[in-house]
Amino acid sequence: MNSTRDDDTLLEVTRFFFEELMPLAKKLQDEGKAFFSVKPNPNAQTYYKKREKTIMHPESFEVVGCDSFDSFEEALIDMWTSQGYSELTKLAPTLLKLAKSLYFVEEQSEDISPFIYVMF
Amino acid sequence: MSTTILGISAFYHDSAAAIIRDGEIIAAAQEERFSRKKHDPRFPHHAINYCLEEAFIESSELDAVVFYDNPLFTWDRVLKNCMMAGPRSFDQFKKASRSVLGIKMWVKDYIIRSIGSLGKLDKLLFTEHHMSHAASAFYPSPFQKAAIITLDGVGEWATTTIGLGTDNRIELFQEINYPHSLGLLYSAFTYYCGFKVNSGEYKLMGLAPYGEPIYYDAIRENLIDIKEDGSYNLNTEYFGYLDSSVMTNDKFNNLFGGSPRKPESYITRREMDMAASIQKTLEEVILRMALHTKKETGADNLVMAGGVALNCVANGKVLKKGIFDDFWIQPAASDAGGAVGAALLVSHAYFDIPRKINPNGRDTQRGSYLGPAYKPSEVVAFLGRKGYPYERIANPQQLAEKIAQVIADGKIVGYFAGRMEFGPRALGARSILGDPRRRETQSVMNLKIKFRESFRPFAPSVLAEDVSEFFEMESESPYMLLVAPVRKERCLPMNLRKFQEGDDNMSAVITQSRSDIPAVTHVDYSARVQTVHPSDKPDYYHVIKKFKDLTGYGIIVNTSFNVRGEPIVCSPQDAYRCFMRTEMDLLVLEDCLLWKEEQPAFEDTEDWRKTYELD
């Protein structure tokens, strides 16, 4: 990995985050849409959610989108459309570009691997 | 024709590989044991190669390769989390983009680069993170039918699931999703008390009995709402993990009166009380959840997995409550076990291989001795090549007797025998052993052998048939996943006056004899028990049996064969190095005995205290 490519990738990530992701997030927030609750609801009877898919059928072991760049963009669009978040689908083309730029960027020499953070 | 599946977990923490053949676990290992980097999250090249060797199979002959979760859904969570958290989450987005979008998404390519093939299917299969945990808990269990609870930090979205396993079928019907996570809540307190996230949770649990749960009300009123059925939601305003790389934020700090404890600084009453408070909260959730799960499933038995299932104090409470008739926990409950679970799930749910239940009523985890072994001839060749002096005792009974005598004499023994354990606990294959009757054993082992915090307790290995002689416990605990009280008649009164009056110095408590097995009796008179059954590990069983013949006690101290921050030793070389760096007296490498005073001066080429980052 050379530093020029690193810099270019960081610029792409930064531009996507501030110019595409955050404006869309703001728009959804203004429309009162939230992806998840951030606080307890004292009036709720339970916090358990019923799962839509309760068992793994043979076809559910095959995940489209993780096998090649060709299917990645479409897999994101399908996923968000099926979830009812069609607003997110317009992010898919840029995410494909980012994925191509970031592909195998990780270098395992870091003292603390980003993998250890709970988010990932 | 047999069906062989390779399962892989990686790119979170503690990566691992496992091989399953016709539904039976052939081999499983964590990458850290080979790479010597604790909780190594990187692609498990070495563990995969070991599993293939153990199964005598080429990658092209595999029927399928499966990854333990779904990176697409993980990315969905990362993206939506950042959208909810706003611009402050940029740093997190940068890191997540690299690790998920740049690597984890393309794990298939890593596999092809590493082993050259995806097997006969020629495509990579994926499971869902909590389905992998559930499968790792249910399929190896001794139950035909069992309720399932999985609890961890976070999978793709789920942090908690509830379901039912019956024969080949696993059904998960309820869940709680990110950001509401019991695992992340416990990790937040781990971080705040100055311990490492995803590693120090165990220390927090060990610290809890020193404290009082004085922050319990603050936790319940501000951080978590727990419903009657054990479901819960967090108030994320108090946590840092949504928009930063640390677990807590200023609001959390203000609630508990200041900044997080600096790692390695003095442990104060505040940390002890914090530990006690979050432990009480966690136990309350798990007990309520177990009751709810019993009601929902009607099952007589319960299985559990996910990192939170390693909280053996909470597990002991569930057992004691008698909600279920029996209880089984996957010993590699955290993400490493996902490799086993994913491969078992593919065996049973994709290839429809019938599940085999052990006819003798025991589980099919094989004692969790699923890692590499070294033949005595290999050990002898190693010692000969290096010129290390040793004594060989080929007769197993004489060997066990000799080791037992050394332990009874108060010496500390490094014990390396048979296949390495899979999971975080040493169970007598890569263990350091000592005499539990001696008060000084705990401090010697902590400070001169393990170089770790003095408050941390040690666990006993007890003959399965003698467990109720020492502990208020009737059931087996072969994987050291249950905590039980030491029998009252064995306990001795402690003088806690100074400590209770506010002196934070824990050593005043630690150094007191608490029972006639002080080295394994924690300050609350509990112990983290491993029961040893002759069919699981005969060599180890015989060492304890011989110790009983000599002393009348069928119990010894067992701690993992490593120093602080080091992964448990894997090879004879690792074991010898660790032996020479510490004050162990005797090293047992299969049937070879090495005395410390007979060894040549050890030329250590590295500063291991720097090599092994403190955990």
Side-chain angles (χ1 to χ4, degrees), chain A residues 10 13-14 16-18 21-22 24-25 28 33-51 53-58 60-69 72 75-76 79-80 83 85 88 91 95 98-99 102-108 110-120, chain B residues 11-12 42 70 72-73 75-77 79-84 86-87 89-90 92-99 101-106 108-110 113 123 125-128 131 154 157 162 169-175 178-180 184 198 225 227 229-237 241 245 289 292 346 349-350:
Chain A
L10 180 60
V13 170
T14 308
F16 171 77
F17 184 84
F18 288 106
L21 194 64
M22 286 301 110
L24 181 57
L28 293 175
K33 291 182 181 168
F35 296 114
F36 49 75
S37 64
V38 291
K39 276 184 174 178
N41 171 8
N43 298 321
Q45 287 292 307
T46 181
Y47 292 117
Y48 291 125
K49 290 180 178 169
K50 269 181 103 171
R51 284 169 60 95
K53 289 181 181 171
T54 58
I55 63 171
M56 293 278 292
H57 292 290
S60 49
F61 288 94
E62 292 169 21
V63 175
V64 178
C66 300
D67 49 349
S68 72
F69 289 134
F72 179 65
L76 288 175
M79 176 174 69
W80 288 325
Q83 292 171 348
Y85 292 120
L88 301 188
L91 302 175
L95 286 172
L98 280 184
L102 290 159
Y103 182 77
F104 286 126
V105 160
E106 178 64 5
E107 288 169 11
Q108 302 287 0
E110 291 183 26
D111 284 343
I112 298 172
S113 162
F115 293 125
I116 71 166
Y117 292 116
V118 290
M119 263 296 292
F120 319 135
Chain B
F11 306 139
Y12 182 19
R42 295 173 295 183
N70 183 328
L72 202 66
F73 291 162
W75 177 248
D76 181 48
R77 169 174 52 82
L79 194 89
K80 286 175 180 165
N81 177 79
C82 290
M83 291 180 81
M84 291 288 285
S89 65
F90 178 58
Q92 201 175 64
F93 184 78
K94 262 194 304 188
K95 288 193 171 100
S97 301
R98 290 171 65 200
S99 55
L101 212 49
I103 298 177
K104 193 170 187 174
M105 196 71 70
W106 317 111
K108 185 189 87 171
D109 296 351
Y110 267 84
R113 282 179 191 208
K123 61 184 167 192
L125 302 179
F126 296 86
T127 63
E128 189 193 316
M131 276 287 182
V154 61
W157 276 100
I162 285 171
R169 181 185 167 93
I170 285 181
E171 185 185 5
L172 296 180
F173 38 78
Q174 289 181 331
E175 66 184 11
Y178 179 89
H180 308 290
L184 294 182
N198 284 335
D225 180 33
K227 300 295 185 194
D229 61 6
S231 64
Y232 60 87
N233 260 6
L234 305 183
N235 184 350
T236 60
E237 284 178 0
Y241 59 81
S245 293
M289 196 176 284
H292 168 76
V346 166
Y350 189 89

Side-chain angles (χ1 to χ4, degrees), chain B residues 250-262:
Chain B
D250 288 345
K251 199 163 174 172
F252 186 102
N253 302 349
N254 293 336
L255 181 64
F256 296 108
S259 305
R261 169 184 167 253
K262 285 199 171 72

